[in-house]
Amino acid sequence: EVQLLESGGGLVQPGGSLRLSCAASGFTFNNNAMSWVRQAPGKGLEWVSAISGSGGVTYFSDSVKGRFTISRDNSRNTVYLQMKSLRADDTAVYYCAKVVSVDYFDHWGQGTLVTVSS
Amino acid sequence: SYELTQPPSVSVSPGQTARITCSGDALPKQYVYWYQQKPGQAPVLIVYKDIERPSGIPERFSGSTSGTTVTLTVSGVQAEDEADYYCQTAVTGDTYVVFGGGTKLTVL
């Protein structure tokens, strides 16, 4: 059974940093790209970032480019999202998702809440 | 930037058919994927590659496509189908993934 477990969310001040983790199990981790998708309170889904199975290729949405980085440790079956220069509009539930064929997401974690507020 | 357009809401009575549309200029050349999200829960993939259904998804959920519009059809709607539904596609270039704005399906 595929399981994705996010952690690292919490309350952070504007301008601060936070690192999210997503521990994966139940599939061959290094064979799959992974992605982060967020959802602001009461709003829709917004894709944030993705990383290839090897970790050599990364993608970012325009809204986080230059502030967020994505990485993975295939020995630990874990993907990370390092967030810097956080703003109030980064407040959201952040979901980790397993990518299929570079195109879509067949499994999602339960999400971790990030709140950016003073 | 590329956009997918969905109606904000659709309402149907139990047992009726609900149709949720998703429009985008590049859709004739791109697959569309549909997710169901119930309150407080993570999204769940219910249709992939326009018309395919993952194992475990009820047959009442189906996808179809016509030109620049794809449609998620829920036949014989049940109360448990009340949820938000999102379409999604993948695009080349920097954007990578785009979601529609979501449609709230209300079962009257």
Side-chain angles (χ1 to χ4, degrees), chain A residues 7-8 20 28 35 46-47 49 52-53 57 63 69 80 90 94 98 103 110 112 115:
Chain A
S7 61
L20 306 183
T28 305
S35 196
E46 179 191 11
W47 172 75
S49 183
S52 63
V57 182
S63 60
T69 57
Y80 305 97
D90 294 317
Y94 284 73
K98 173 175 168 285
D103 285 352
Q110 283 305 303
T112 187
T115 302

Side-chain angles (χ1 to χ4, degrees), chain A residues 39 47 102-105 109, chain B residues 33 35 37 42 86 88 95-96:
Chain A
Q39 186 170 37
W47 172 75
V102 200
D103 285 352
Y104 66 102
F105 316 109
Chain B
Y33 310 91
Y35 303 89
Q37 186 182 33
Y86 295 91
Q88 176 250 309
T95 306
Y96 184 67

